[in-house]
Amino acid sequence: MKKILVTGAAGFIGHAFAKRACMDGHFVHGIDNLNDYYDVALKDARLKDLDACERFTFQKLDLADRDGMAAMFSAFAPDVVVHLAAQAGVRYSIEQPHKYADSNLTGFVNVLEGCRGAKVEHLIFASSSSVYGMNEKIPFSTDDNVDHPISLYAATKKANELMAHAYAHLYGFPCTGLRFFTVYGPWGRPDMAVYKFTDQVQKGQVIDVYNHGDMRRDFTYIDDVVEGVMRLYVKGGEGYRLYNIGHNKPEKLMDLISYIEKALGKAALTNFMPMQAGDVYETYADIDPLIRDTGYAPTTSLREGIERFVTWYRGYDGG
């Protein structure tokens, strides 16, 4: 049994990983600043869901609070850190750039410094498929050049990878970065397409469909993501590593809408629009390194994942 610090524990992936780690017998300390980027009630509900985990403790804490972070690392003394907290969202980064600098840059330095001081065994941290920007080579590989981000959010995630590489080199603790590809599922974020479209279709609202529906995403179900993270945790760290965690199968945006319609039994009202700034046409993960090093590849189809999400949505939201 290890002591695992999970940042962003009230977030989508953070909640799911913290729950899995507790179920596997580890002691988990979660932190989150509970900001209002989206409905705080959903974050509170995730934390309430974690109340049943006897080995879970929670502390409200902002990554940018240098003294608070240092005190937390000293008190908990984690063996492993799974850093999943960040200011998320491509489009929001255009509106609120300073929030991304505070959380994703200053906050990440505080995480790295905490790991250095606590002499952690392994830092696993969230990056994003957004770092690939306008990359036209598919599938996206961690060997690709990613020096041309097209959103501030993506730039901060690329910066995180570089910062972690420097700390792994300078101080010798293993750092593993994970480029997540469009994660969805129960307890998901309401600002992302799966949740947002489901909610709007159920309520009879018009959904905005960008690039006139001609987009493809490598949708990755939350349980598959957590299993991939856990496999890498069990494997242990070695120097600096980067992995894609995606389904390895781009899906058409219009197919996603069709699956949501079928799961809800309602037709979508659509408003087709041009591509938005910061968006990309297609994402597609090369996961061969993940398979090679862990023996694991995501298995949940988009149709099955949407059915599970809608079942959760009806129970949580009163659909």
Side-chain angles (χ1 to χ4, degrees), residues 64-118:
D65 179 352
R66 185 192 302 182
D67 293 339
M69 288 288 288
M72 181 275 299
F73 266 97
S74 178
F76 183 61
D79 299 308
V80 174
V81 174
V82 180
H83 175 55
L84 299 168
Q87 179 56 61
V90 169
R91 293 163 191 157
Y92 191 62
S93 68
I94 297 171
E95 303 168 15
Q96 297 287 344
H98 294 291
K99 292 187 177 182
Y100 289 76
D102 292 342
S103 181
N104 300 5
L105 299 178
T106 300
F108 193 57
V109 170
N110 291 338
V111 169
L112 290 168
E113 278 294 288
C115 290
R116 180 174 71 89

Side-chain angles (χ1 to χ4, degrees), residues 104-292:
N104 300 5
L105 299 178
T106 300
F108 193 57
V109 170
N110 291 338
V111 169
L112 290 168
E113 278 294 288
C115 290
R116 180 174 71 89
K119 295 180 169 58
V120 300
E121 299 171 9
H122 192 187
L123 166 64
I124 299 173
F125 67 96
S127 185
S128 168
S129 62
S130 296
V131 301
Y132 290 106
M134 297 298 288
N135 188 1
E136 295 181 353
K137 172 185 165 292
I138 55 173
F140 297 165
S141 166
T142 52
D143 292 328
D144 294 342
N145 182 298
V146 290
D147 291 338
H148 304 284
I150 59 171
S151 70
L152 179 63
Y153 170 67
T156 64
K157 286 301 187 177
K158 171 62 176 176
N160 288 171
E161 295 177 358
L162 297 173
M163 294 156 73
H165 185 279
Y167 267 71
H169 173 75
L170 289 169
Y171 305 114
F173 63 86
C175 295
T176 301
L178 309 177
R179 292 177 177 172
F180 295 127
F181 281 69
T182 317
V183 185
Y184 74 99
W187 298 103
R189 279 173 31 205
D191 63 308
M192 296 187 71
V194 169
Y195 196 132
K196 183 165 61 176
F197 287 178
T198 299
D199 193 53
Q200 290 172 324
V201 172
Q202 178 62 20
K203 294 175 179 176
Q205 299 172 350
V206 175
I207 63 175
D208 291 333
V209 182
Y210 293 101
N211 205 36
H212 306 283
D214 184 21
M215 297 174 73
R216 294 160 64 91
R217 289 289 181 271
D218 200 340
F219 293 100
T220 317
Y221 188 66
I222 183 62
D223 291 359
D224 289 333
V225 168
V226 170
E227 181 63 29
V229 178
M230 186 56 72
R231 294 283 186 105
L232 289 167
Y233 159 74
V234 170
K235 175 181 178 291
E238 180 182 350
Y240 175 79
R241 295 287 186 271
L242 270 179
Y243 294 92
N244 288 329
I245 297 190
H247 191 64
N248 190 231
K249 182 184 179 184
E251 302 274 2
K252 296 177 182 178
L253 182 59
M254 295 309 296
D255 286 346
L256 166 67
I257 294 171
S258 177
Y259 294 148
I260 290 172
E261 290 176 317
K262 290 174 183 175
L264 287 172
K266 298 187 71 170
L269 304 175
T270 53
N271 175 35
F272 292 103
M273 299 179 67
M275 184 77 88
Q276 274 210 329
D279 268 352
V280 297
Y281 168 69
E282 180 176 25
T283 62
Y284 183 0
D286 175 356
I287 59 171
D288 286 349
L290 180 70
I291 297 170
R292 179 194 66 217

